[in-house]
Amino acid sequence: MAVAGNYYFAIVGHHDNPVFEMEFTPANKEPKKEDHRHLNQFIAHAALDLVDESMWTTSNMYLRLVDKFNEWYVSAFVTAGRIRLICLHDVKNDDGIKSFFMEMYETYIKHSMNPFYTPNSPIKSAAFEKKAHFYGRKYLTG
Amino acid sequence: MAQCKLTPHEYIQNAFAPQVAILCSEDADNLCLKNNLRFVELIQPFCRLNNEVRIADPSGNTVPVRSLRVVFEDMNRRPPQPTLGKKLLSEVVSTTPWDRPITRTVGASGTREALDLELQPTTPWFEAWRDTFLHVQYPSDHEFTKHYIACIVVVASTSENPMDQLNRLSQYQHQQLHQTPARFPKWFSPNILKFYLLIHDVTAGDLTKSEQVFEQMTSMYGSSNCHMLQINSRHIGQTDVHLPDPWSQFLIQRASCDPGGSSSEASSGTGTPREDVSGLPSRVTEGDTTDCCESIHPLSPTVPPVDEKNGTFDIMPGVEISADVPVMVNRPSLPAGTVQHHGGCLTSSDVDRIRIFVHEFCVRSLIPHVERQIRYLNEVVTNRSRSKSLLSATRRWLVGNKSPGSATNSVIYSPEATELQTRRLADLCFMFGLYELAYSFYHTAKNDFKSDQAWLYFAGAQEMAALAAFMQNSSDYPKRYLENSLQTYLNVCKVYNFAIRSTLLSSEVLKHCGEYGEAAMMFIKLTSEESDLLSALMLEQAAHCFINSQRPLPRKYAFHMTLAGHRFSKAGQRSHSLRAYKQSFQVYASRGWVLAEDHIHFTLGKQAHHLKQLTEGLEAYTHLVDQRLKKNASSQQSLSQQTAYVREFINTFHQYIQQEWDSSTSLPCLPLPLIDSQSTSVLLGAPQDPPTSSEWTCASYVSLDSDMTNNERWYSLERNLVETSHGSSLVFRPNLQLLNCDTPNTQSPIVPVNEPVLVEILMKNPLAVSLMISDVRLVFSFEPAKHVEANDAPVKDFLYSGFNLPAGAEEKVRLELHPQCTGKLLIKGVIYKLCLTPDITSGHPPGSTSSPVIIEGQQLIEVKGPRLNNTSAEKCSVIYACDKRLEITVVPPMSRINVTFHDIPQILSCGELCSIDVLITNIGPAPVSKLLLAVSDPNHVYLDIEETLLPAKPICVLSDLETADSKIANWTTTVALPNGVLNSGDVIQPKLWLHAPMTPGAFDVELLFYYETLNSPGRSQYRLVRHYSSIYVERSLSFQVSSTISQNLQESLGDQQENKRICSYTSNLIVEAQNNSEIDSTCSTYTVIGLSGNSEKWAVVPHSRLQGLQLKSGESCHLCVKCIQHLNTQKHGLIISQLHFGSCQVPLNSWWRFSLRERINLQDLVADPSPPNPSSEHIPPPPTPTQQDANHIIDANSLDMVVSILWKGERGGREIWGQHSIYLKNLGDGVSIPSSPLCQAGEEEKPPIRIIPETSLQPLQSPLPQASKLKHLVKISAQFPKCLEHDFISNSRLCSLEYELCLHNCSSCQLTTFLNLCPEGFSGSNGGVSNHVYSPQASTQLLYVGGTVRKVSLLPWGCSTVPVRVLITSPGTYSLGVFYLTALRNTAVEVKSDQPIPQACQLHTAVTVRQVPKGNHLSHST
């Protein structure tokens, strides 16, 4: 079900700060050039404006496509606590991204219940990364 | 978007202003050139009419036209070539100055917080660009707004024959107008307005002559078409600076218009477009997420479309002007630049005249002409359209309604075609403000063009129709017309210039209507790969649209500003790039998008560097390399990227230092490496002299490597010392030598003159790039004390040569200062040189000698104390304590002690004794008045100058002085000084005695010397020397000592004079020694050579002569010695008794002091002094008799003896000596050392930890000790003959034996004893029943006579004699002592609560009774 493509996933905190970032590339493709990593951040950050707009139009947490820039589509998910999950992708994969978001939402909630984690601070947890990696492989890059 | 100077209406009106050609003779131009202006330029500032004019529409109604603007152009002007046009546009953008940005608060919305952004209120460069863009456009055939509507022929009165010239020029104009094929310039219609102007130079010309010429002109061309303009009323020399220069703003483009001009390259900010390095995309498509935007094809504002068939730009004439035409084609190049003053020869009345001329021209000639034209065209159009409507309707019906895009455009109209006439009419109406009329004509034309499938024409008409509708009624206009026309321009006709123009116009319209999002999308659609400048401008405008829309989108704004900045940089517009990046960064700042931030900073740095704005560039690069500012995440960049960043940073810093830095100020701060200010340590008065010989080791002192975890112990020792020296009234504050973040640094530390101050700084490299740091020095200030003359260099400082700091590494840098006079020394920071570590592997080719750039900078060190949390104010806010570790007070010289040790052992066996020679030298300039020492373990360590010998008696009673060792109550001792003073250079040489502890492991010897300088000025200051050494203690012997109570009584030892002899019981000490040393120990064979005990009243005596016992590893031996009581007359004196096995004598004469020191029982060093007990004040109640008795009984049972077993061994050919000391409290106790070694070996199960303590209900205990302790209160002794003879046959059948039993009270209680001589139940007491057959024991068949049950009272320690008589019936051996003795304390008798306690007092006696042989008859008894 998953379609091979490039993905960039970010969790954005309340101050528009990235809490977690990860890139997913298909296993058979070589990863993108390093020089363009900052572009992902630019696009994801710019899409926040449109997330804010489309947030009010639906009662769902999953907002589907909110923005598009060149070859990148931007899908978003806003949690009940207004944490934004942003995903950049260059292929359409609505179901996969939705499942991915749901899983990551749950993982994030579990992580945020850790009393040693300060909300809105960057997540530096190997377990969290492992989970993200696993779900990315499961739902995104396949 | 930023506000434009012009409203959309004004802008549209300006964009479609009527064009008027100027044909100027050379003479006329020369006249004008006196003012540094050509004629066209001269009138340019005045081409807008200030007052309202009226124009009549075809039906005769007059319509007001406000601020009509007429564009005057040189008739021979050609739009510049594409490359030149490009350059021109670029020039305009780069030279237009801009305002300062203003701060605006973008309110919070959605998930976004409010932001304060510095926004550009206006974008003048964009306005200049779009004006220029329109100006450089080639006029097209499908519209007429760019076509000349009139022509003004200008001649000068000073020329030889103005009339002739006029004639020739107008002929030339006519020729141009009617040339076929039509070339440039384009004319609005064949019938244009011609106007004739005579210029009269007031200073040079003859007015009458001019007037004559003018009269000729009016008669020839009609008075309404002629005008005489008088200028140059002032001589060249006269300059009037008061006149404003209205021309300068119009002349910016002049220099760059000049094809040969080379000035464009020189102007700042315009460089060659650079290659793309930043990785931002050139192409931008975005929008609604559903449609996949097609990418835009190459476009450029100045490249003419490739579609030749359009017939738009197919004619590109070279300017062909015959040589005889007096027109300046190659004009003398005007000096570039605008520094000269314009209009120097013009007075204000001249300017007024020019204004009048323009007004006259418009009102009296142009408008009537336009009115005529409109009427004429209207007639033509209405007439023709009637005949044509049927035709077109038919065609429309046949062809069907086709949409643009489906067919290629191949329609070519003749100039006089009706459709074009309609369009012409519409344009004319539009230009002169008749918008309603214009709209209807545009609409007609649009439909016509559409039916003809002339798409370009159609798009143009549609666009104009929309604009006309907008101009007429700005709220309601056909928006779709604009969109359609833009689509047609882009996709069907591929005429990008018109698409751009259309965008510029329609975005204004959209913005006016508040549809900023649409406008932004429109701008974004125009971005392309090819034209960077255009894309940059469009993106920037889009960004402004985002931020200015009703709901601002600052993040979109920031992204598009970044993209714009990127494109600006590609287009070579460095300053714009810098500005755009700066503005976009405000949104990203400190949010944690590190990669984005890095990109922005890197670009900012590069642009600023190129623009020579080194300060800004440096700031940006500093951001890149400075990890302190990275709020949330450290640099995620790759190694190569980081290397590039650091290299750029260093280069920029280097240039900055060379070019902009003011050398009078201190060096700028470097962000690399990280300096952890808080972990800065300061060491005062560091030791500097190494020991003279290798055998002598220095005291460890306090060094920067000292372990800080034990500080509490040292402080505790120090407090003890201070209290010993000054009494405990002082508030104790430790005298710190090493200050770091853990020490209390509220007081400024003190260092004497000429003693070094060592500062340790922790440098960290946060990057993946290794750095080279060299020439590190401290930055400090020194303020000499009052009335102290500071010499040239009050503080000597030393250079730290340098080191390489690899990626991610830490380095401690130690820097030294030597203050040379008293005052205040303030350490501020550190100064050092920094460069990238030259890479050896991939470095430069061997030939090149380029060395890495080295920069020098400083970093400040700021320290703060711990956070305070005492008062409520401190709890509510974040307040830190002050920290003065870097503010050092330099005081006058003080004494200074140097302590060295001779050969401190590395390894000791458990219990080993050793002595170390110590050398204490005063190396300071002042004498020492007091020397104290504190040791953390006085049981095992002491320092003494002389040894104390013990008398060689087996038992000696020690004096109070000698027993002082056992009564030590704190950790300090005073070291005696000769004459009380240790002068400078003097030495004392005491010995340090060590007794290794009984448990193996580490033996920490902690010595703290305390000394005071004699007559030290000011407050009494003491100084300290620390020594710490850890000695490894290996296993040697283990002992188990137990004492048992003997039944025997023995007379106490004691002074012989004493009459009172007390008999007391004795005790056996059983010692088991085992050698449990390990195989690989340095010493594995031990010999037990002696035993000693010290107690208040017990002494050890040998049972027999003992030999030294050698024990190999694993062997064990047993010893048994006797303890007897020794009467001690002194109240608190100790009795020390020693047994030497064999003839061995311990050469260490002070061994006994350690066995005394074993009694020292100190609290834990770091434990808090116990709080004063509130109940300690009231006197405890006098002890009850029971308690007293209990004490007496405990006393009687107590042994209170330290048993020391001395041994010797051999290590490395040297004899070693040691002792194990064991304290036995009570008789009957057994202690083994090391205590329970088995438990230590195995994992013992720990009891569960209880958080809530268990409260066990303990029954109220009687103060009396348990019954087992009460069994030895009374002992019995008897005096009787061992052997007696009795003649049972002859004398009597009964042998009577009388003797005395002595009852000894071995306690201090008054006792009542009950003696039963014939206890029942004791076998054999009354006629043996059991022991008939065989009894190895003495017979008990004897009979006590007299009172067999006695009650005896015993005084404390008293003795009572009981005479008893026993009858024996037959010879044999008899045991006398089967008694039953119970004792009861007198106090208990009164209370009658306790039962008498049976006493263990078996008397092992045997009496042999023999039959007297016959003949030898003697009777002992009566």
Side-chain angles (χ1 to χ4, degrees), chain B residues 1072-1127:
Chain B
E1072 183 190 349
Q1074 187 183 5
N1075 184 347
N1076 64 351
S1077 63
E1078 285 160 53
I1079 302 297
D1080 55 348
S1081 299
T1082 52
C1083 173
S1084 62
T1085 306
Y1086 297 97
T1087 312
V1088 178
I1089 54 157
L1091 194 143
S1092 96
N1094 64 71
S1095 171
E1096 271 188 40
K1097 57 184 189 208
W1098 292 88
V1100 286
V1101 289
H1103 279 296
S1104 59
R1105 191 176 168 74
L1106 290 160
Q1107 286 296 320
L1109 294 160
Q1110 197 180 47
L1111 293 174
K1112 292 207 168 60
S1113 185
E1115 290 176 342
S1116 63
C1117 69
H1118 290 258
L1119 294 171
C1120 189
V1121 292
K1122 187 157 72 168
C1123 289
I1124 53 172
Q1125 285 204 350
H1126 186 282
L1127 276 186

Side-chain angles (χ1 to χ4, degrees), chain A residues 15-16 49 52 67 70 84, chain B residues 111 113 283 555-556 593:
Chain A
H15 314 295
D16 283 6
D49 271 330
D52 279 0
D67 197 7
N70 288 2
R84 286 150 293 173
Chain B
T111 57
E113 294 153 349
R283 184 170 54 89
R555 294 165 283 204
K556 283 261 171 207
W593 300 93

Side-chain angles (χ1 to χ4, degrees), chain B residues 88-367:
Chain B
L88 195 64
L89 287 168
S90 163
E91 187 87 352
V92 163
V93 172
S94 60
T95 50
T96 311
W98 63 77
D99 307 333
R100 297 180 68 80
I102 53 165
T103 306
R104 208 184 96 186
T105 305
V106 180
S109 101
T111 57
R112 179 170 52 76
E113 294 153 349
L115 278 170
D116 279 333
L117 296 180
E118 284 198 339
L119 298 173
Q120 209 63 47
T122 57
T123 49
W125 62 93
F126 170 71
E127 285 169 53
W129 175 85
R130 72 181 182 185
D131 289 344
T132 315
F133 175 77
L134 293 180
H135 192 240
V136 300
Q137 288 307 300
Y138 282 82
S140 163
D141 275 348
H142 79 282
E143 57 174 21
F144 301 95
T145 48
K146 282 279 183 182
H147 295 196
Y148 293 126
I149 198 167
C151 182
I152 302 175
V153 182
V154 186
V155 289
S157 64
T158 46
S159 61
E160 288 173 10
N161 192 347
M163 285 308 290
D164 184 37
Q165 230 175 18
L166 214 54
N167 205 11
R168 274 166 60 195
L169 283 174
S170 71
Q171 266 176 14
Y172 170 71
Q173 189 271 332
H174 189 78
Q175 189 188 331
Q176 291 279 310
L177 182 59
H178 294 291
Q179 64 187 342
T180 46
R183 293 184 179 176
F184 282 106
K186 299 259 183 193
W187 300 97
F188 191 82
S189 66
N191 178 25
I192 61 153
L193 172 70
K194 284 180 198 162
F195 192 86
Y196 304 92
L197 179 68
L198 181 70
I199 296 181
H200 171 72
D201 190 326
V202 176
T203 50
D206 183 3
L207 185 61
T208 51
K209 186 192 160 201
S210 301
E211 277 170 350
Q212 280 172 4
V213 174
F214 185 65
E215 270 174 36
Q216 284 178 8
M217 276 168 65
T218 45
S219 61
M220 194 161 180
Y221 302 109
S223 63
S224 63
N225 292 336
C226 296
H227 192 88
M228 187 171 80
L229 178 63
Q230 299 185 21
I231 57 166
N232 293 357
S233 309
R234 195 195 303 264
H235 286 286
I236 297 173
Q238 295 173 285
T239 49
D240 187 355
V241 286
H242 302 298
L243 260 188
D245 190 352
W247 293 275
S248 55
Q249 55 175 311
F250 292 91
L251 292 172
I252 301 162
Q253 305 156 17
R254 187 167 73 181
S256 48
C257 283
D258 189 4
S262 58
S263 56
S264 63
E265 286 302 311
S267 70
S268 70
T270 310
T272 47
R274 297 166 29 253
E275 74 280 15
D276 183 8
V277 290
S278 69
L280 275 184
S282 318
R283 184 170 54 89
V284 180
T285 62
E286 62 187 295
D288 54 334
T289 52
T290 45
D291 82 324
C292 196
C293 282
E294 69 283 6
S295 59
I296 296 173
H297 283 281
L299 74 95
S300 165
T302 47
V303 172
V306 283
D307 192 356
E308 299 272 323
K309 296 280 165 49
N310 259 346
T312 323
F313 292 131
D314 49 348
I315 312 140
M316 287 277 267
V319 183
E320 292 165 21
I321 299 166
S322 52
D324 57 338
V325 175
V327 174
M328 297 207 316
V329 178
N330 294 315
R331 294 184 175 83
S333 62
L334 288 168
T338 53
V339 277
Q340 315 141 292
H341 189 70
H342 301 290
C345 300
L346 298 179
T347 57
S348 55
S349 57
D350 286 339
V351 172
D352 285 342
R353 278 189 210 116
I354 295 171
R355 231 175 237 139
I356 291 165
F357 153 67
V358 175
H359 186 259
E360 288 285 296
F361 166 71
C362 290
V363 174
R364 283 181 51 206
S365 301
L366 185 64
I367 288 181

